[in-house]
Amino acid sequence: MARLQLRNLEKVYGNQFKAVHGINLDVEEGEFMVLVGPSGCAKSTTLRMIAGLETISGGEVRIGDRVVNDLAPGKRGIAMVFQNYALYPHMKVRSNLSFGLRIQNMPKAEREAATQEVARILEIEELLDRLPKQLSGGQAQRVALGRALIKKPEVFLFDEPLSNLDAKLRASMRVRIIDLHRRLKQEGKPATVVYVTHDQTEAMTMGDRICVMKEGRIMQVADPKALYNRPANLFVAGFIGSPEMNLMQGRLEDVSDPVFRIDGQAVALGRELGARLTLGSASDATVGVRPQHFEVVRGDTDSGLNGRISHVEFMGHEVYLHVDLGGVRVVAVVGAAEYEALDRSSGQLRLRPNAASIHVFDTASGENISLSRLAA
Amino acid sequence: MDARTTPSDPLFRDDDTQEMLAASRAMAARQLRNERISAIIRYALLTAVGFVMLYPLIWLIGASLKTNSEIFANPGFIPDSPTFDGYVKGWQTSTPYTFAHFFWNTFLIIFPKTLGTAISCTAVAYGFARFDFPGKKILFASLIATLLLPNVVTRIPQYLLFRDLGWLDSFMPLWVPSALAGDAFFVFMLVQFLRAIPRDMEEAARVDGANSFQTLLFIVVPMLAPALISVCLFQFMWTMNDFLGPLIYISSVDKYPVSLALKLSIDTTEAFEWNRILAMSVLALAPALIVFFLAQKYFIEGISTGGVKG
């Protein structure tokens, strides 16, 4: 196993379209790195450049101590799991697993032993004599995983491996892959993984660290907790978290004891937040509040933001309240019991953002300007 | 719901329900009858058309078992007294060679031609479908252009070329061009087939360490199998039926393939022994028919499905 480094990696297509804008990324030995982003953010292109399936237009890819830019995919010490499994349709599972070893001219007995070993780990022993078309989606994906595993590569590359599976199977495969990664680590054979997905749940649950990408640029690289609690910019704030963070554009006044003005309403954000702000003077700002960090204010006060409930989604243990704050729509999540206790007769309510969890972004640049002293 | 259970079943006690049930039963029966009638008509029509199509072949086989005089006396296709006389005498031919010799000649052309076509066209199609190289567009355009070029246009230049190479009266002009991917149609057919196969498997093979040639051999060729079988089948049948090629290039009788040998038996005898000619025609048809029916299964079966979930 080895660390993977990307240095100023660029991809320019023949029609001069620049897909990847000089990205830098270090994946440590044994680390599970997830590349996540909306479609078209070049996460797959980046992965394919690491794999050698796409030419590199600029910069370098380093695996261990070697620059692998000009090496064929088979010589890079990588293994890849494809979205649609890409099993060889005419070969039985056994041959699918051992094809890479056969190409390396490994003796048949060793090949067979390695196949059995991998089949045991992935519990696919009874499938060895089947053809790919006789496998279910989950089984095919396990075989694809086995085909990567058997090569004992330095870096594992996953290209949206679970997106063709149904939701239930996806959840169980997710656990299986994390388990496998952990087990390999415990056995002293840590696997360096780069895992591409567009699904933030996968990213958050699987990654040691997550690299959020947008339009060929890295937006933030951090562990899941930091990504959630300290999003570096508007894009990450909006992308990570479900339901999405509420982003409200308005004006920030009185920086030391900040007041946020939005559509004729004002809410005091508190001195504590003011101390965090890296901002000199009043400015156009976007305040981000996660739906879980709204508090419904009871009784007659004028703190918080006044709004009208426009729509209610019942999710079981909690309720999503879609609230119209006079122009801005926000979502607030409240517990089912709290929702029942609410006085809903007027259809109006007051929401107060939890000051400790508020994020303030510079509307123009999108940067988070409230990070300076916020604990991770 | 039948009458016995209805009274005890509270759900179906209602008279309206009974009526509705009866109506729907009647409708189902009507539908079944209509389907049967349409099936009968359909099969009758197909059988009739099929019979018309097959009639010449059936007549040919029947006539090959008749005596020479019966062929023109009896218009039906069932011989009065079947005889293999035509086969026995036809096989001997009027030359020093039997038909076995001519079949062997045909085989000597077909075998290298079909094999060469399969190998060369796969290689060329793989190149066009999977690699980017300078001049690819122009080369592919000229390939398509040769596809549109009528055969007759190239007959004379080809003849001159092969004459200068000293290949006249040999099998070489008949198979060498095809074995070097000279049949643009097959290249085009394989390119189209390859374009429809996802590249993922080949990428997986590259990640597994296979080079381009290994990828072609171990991954692409097996997936191409149905198309390759079609190519071989077409090449086999077209070569078997080719008359003009051997007629132009082959002059000595001992090198005649079956197609020329059939003509030979018409040329040499004054009073045509029609039953012999027809008997040999049946034998000449047989290989193509047998090969087609044997390969039919692979013709239809698509092997590329299953590896990739679409």
Side-chain angles (χ1 to χ4, degrees):
Chain A
M1 291 300 146
R3 78 196 281 227
L4 167 78
Q5 293 169 297
L6 309 182
R7 288 284 169 271
N8 296 316
L9 196 64
E10 283 187 359
K11 177 69 192 181
V12 185
Y13 283 107
N15 56 6
Q16 300 310 307
F17 172 70
K18 198 165 185 179
V20 177
H21 299 261
I23 62 173
N24 288 292
L25 183 68
D26 281 21
V27 185
E28 300 303 329
E29 184 172 331
E31 185 175 30
F32 200 116
M33 172 67 81
V34 177
L35 301 186
V36 68
S39 38
C41 74
K43 54 190 189 299
S44 277
T45 308
T46 307
L47 191 79
R48 290 169 59 84
M49 280 198 281
I50 300 170
L53 295 172
E54 202 82 59
T55 55
I56 295 169
S57 314
E60 60 181 40
V61 175
R62 219 176 244 281
I63 294 174
D65 309 324
R66 296 186 300 168
V67 175
V68 297
N69 281 29
D70 298 321
L71 289 182
K75 305 244 185 283
R76 294 189 179 198
I78 51 136
M80 188 158 167
V81 178
F82 292 81
Q83 177 177 354
N84 45 22
Y85 325 137
L87 298 178
Y88 311 126
H90 54 285
M91 294 184 194
K92 290 191 170 157
V93 168
R94 186 186 301 280
S95 317
N96 259 288
L97 290 174
S98 61
F99 181 74
L101 305 180
R102 194 171 125 207
I103 292 290
Q104 291 169 18
N105 290 321
M106 184 186 273
K108 198 171 178 202
E110 278 178 54
R111 234 156 59 198
E112 188 54 32
T115 308
Q116 288 297 342
E117 164 77 7
V118 165
R120 188 185 54 75
I121 293 174
L122 293 170
E123 297 161 35
I124 50 174
E125 288 131 310
E126 73 281 12
L127 306 177
L128 284 176
D129 289 312
R130 290 205 201 162
L131 283 170
K133 63 179 163 198
Q134 297 162 325
L135 301 177
S136 71
Q139 291 171 332
Q141 196 51 278
R142 269 188 282 162
V143 174
L145 199 59
R147 195 170 58 180
L149 209 59
I150 200 169
K151 291 168 63 193
K152 302 195 168 68
E154 299 195 67
V155 179
F156 282 94
L157 305 174
F158 289 85
D159 190 5
E160 309 213 16
L162 305 185
S163 46
N164 276 354
L165 303 178
D166 62 61
K168 206 171 163 187
L169 203 54
R170 202 179 308 161
S172 76
M173 277 300 285
R174 214 159 64 199
V175 174
R176 204 182 262 272
I177 292 174
I178 303 168
D179 258 6
L180 191 64
H181 184 248
R182 194 169 301 144
R183 191 149 28 124
L184 288 173
K185 198 173 260 178
Q186 280 164 1
E187 287 171 14
K189 297 178 281 188
T192 310
V193 175
V194 182
Y195 186 107
V196 163
T197 180
H198 62 266
D199 179 349
Q200 54 149 318
T201 318
E202 260 172 50
M204 295 294 274
T205 53
M206 299 179 85
D208 289 330
R209 280 195 303 158
I210 298 170
C211 167
V212 182
M213 291 181 70
K214 180 197 175 192
E215 290 166 6
R217 291 189 173 84
I218 291 180
M219 292 285 113
Q220 187 174 5
V221 183
D223 63 77
K225 211 169 149 191
L227 213 57
Y228 187 79
N229 291 330
R230 299 166 57 98
N233 47 50
L234 275 173
F235 180 78
V236 176
F239 191 77
I240 300 291
S242 175
E244 276 176 41
M245 184 187 277
N246 297 296
L247 297 167
M248 298 168 279
Q249 277 185 38
R251 195 164 168 77
L252 201 62
E253 285 170 1
D254 194 355
V255 177
S256 58
D257 186 7
V259 173
F260 183 63
R261 292 193 181 280
I262 168 177
D263 284 324
Q265 301 198 61
V267 60
L269 301 180
R271 282 183 181 280
E272 202 184 317
L273 179 74
R276 296 195 332 233
L277 290 179
T278 45
L279 183 72
S281 60
S283 136
D284 287 333
T286 300
V287 162
V289 183
R290 295 212 181 270
Q292 294 81 353
H293 297 151
F294 270 124
E295 190 186 340
V296 180
V297 187
R298 306 211 185 182
D300 284 337
T301 71
D302 56 356
S303 71
L305 294 158
N306 191 27
R308 190 176 55 77
I309 301 175
S310 66
H311 182 58
V312 176
E313 286 176 302
F314 181 71
M315 307 299 290
H317 66 296
E318 54 189 18
V319 176
Y320 295 178
L321 297 175
H322 292 249
V323 180
D324 201 342
L325 297 178
V328 190
R329 272 254 180 129
V330 297
V331 178
V333 175
V334 297
E338 193 186 347
Y339 176 73
E340 292 304 324
L342 221 65
D343 173 20
R344 303 190 296 269
S345 55
S346 62
Q348 301 277 327
L349 84 175
R350 295 193 80 81
L351 291 175
R352 184 168 54 205
N354 176 353
S357 313
I358 289 178
H359 298 278
V360 184
F361 303 90
D362 181 339
T363 302
S365 71
E367 295 301 309
N368 192 337
I369 51 175
S370 59
L371 280 181
S372 64
R373 264 186 278 156
L374 183 66
Chain B
M1 197 53 54
D2 70 340
R4 266 180 303 119
T5 59
T6 310
S8 60
D9 191 336
L11 273 176
F12 293 97
R13 213 172 284 156
D14 197 359
D15 284 350
D16 287 350
T17 318
Q18 286 299 320
E19 269 171 38
M20 274 164 65
L21 273 173
S24 75
R25 264 201 300 271
M27 206 163 96
R30 225 176 11 249
Q31 211 165 9
L32 196 69
R33 203 179 57 224
N34 287 346
E35 268 169 27
R36 272 201 196 130
I37 292 172
S38 95
I40 289 168
I41 295 174
R42 201 162 55 231
Y43 281 107
L45 208 66
L46 284 173
T47 311
V49 172
F51 181 74
V52 170
M53 298 281 209
L54 275 178
Y55 185 79
L57 195 65
I58 296 168
W59 184 85
L60 176 74
I61 294 168
S64 72
L65 296 169
K66 291 175 184 174
T67 60
N68 214 19
S69 53
E70 197 196 337
I71 290 175
F72 296 99
N74 177 5
F77 50 78
I78 299 168
D80 287 337
S81 51
T83 164
F84 283 96
D85 195 47
Y87 285 88
V88 176
K89 293 213 174 103
W91 190 260
Q92 295 309 326
T93 73
S94 53
T95 66
Y97 312 102
T98 64
F99 245 87
H101 183 77
F102 301 127
F103 270 108
W104 177 246
N105 284 345
T106 299
F107 175 78
L108 287 182
I109 299 168
I110 285 182
F111 185 72
K113 187 172 182 177
T114 310
L115 193 71
T117 303
I119 294 170
S120 61
C121 289
T122 307
V124 174
Y126 183 54
F128 274 125
R130 290 296 194 256
F131 295 91
D132 272 321
F133 50 88
K136 177 174 160 177
K137 274 190 179 160
I138 297 206
L139 283 173
F140 194 68
S142 31
L143 180 93
I144 300 300
T146 60
L147 198 63
L148 303 174
L149 203 64
N151 266 339
V152 272
V153 176
T154 56
R155 285 284 181 206
I156 291 172
Q158 265 183 359
Y159 183 85
L160 297 178
L161 175 75
F162 292 132
R163 188 192 61 191
D164 292 348
L165 287 172
W167 285 4
L168 294 187
D169 200 23
S170 81
F171 295 146
M172 304 273 272
L174 299 175
W175 68 265
V176 172
S178 295
L180 297 174
D183 294 321
F185 173 73
F186 293 133
V187 175
F188 179 67
M189 187 172 141
L190 290 179
V191 167
Q192 290 307 100
F193 196 88
L194 265 174
R195 280 182 180 161
I197 298 179
R199 290 175 184 224
D200 300 53
M201 273 82 82
E202 289 155 63
E203 290 182 341
R206 283 173 64 197
V207 171
D208 267 347
N211 57 34
S212 299
F213 178 71
Q214 288 169 321
T215 308
L216 174 66
L217 196 63
F218 295 130
I219 308 298
V220 177
V221 168
M223 288 195 295
L224 263 184
L228 274 175
I229 287 171
S230 312
V231 164
C232 292
L233 213 57
F234 279 129
Q235 189 66 287
F236 179 90
M237 291 201 276
W238 290 348
T239 311
M240 192 84 205
N241 294 338
D242 184 22
F243 178 71
L244 197 58
L247 185 69
I248 292 172
Y249 293 111
I250 295 190
S251 42
S252 39
V253 175
D254 73 319
K255 287 178 183 152
Y256 273 17
V258 172
S259 53
L260 279 190
L262 276 177
K263 175 75 169 54
L264 193 71
S265 42
I266 297 180
D267 281 344
T268 48
T269 38
E270 279 181 18
F272 301 156
E273 296 284 354
W274 279 109
N275 63 341
R276 294 184 198 175
I277 296 170
L278 295 178
M280 288 309 105
S281 301
V282 171
L283 289 186
L285 274 174
L289 278 178
I290 292 168
V291 167
F292 179 80
F293 283 117
L294 286 180
Q296 199 183 24
K297 187 177 118 201
Y298 304 98
F299 222 27
I300 297 155
E301 184 180 275
I303 203 166
S304 73
T305 50
V308 166
K309 195 173 175 182

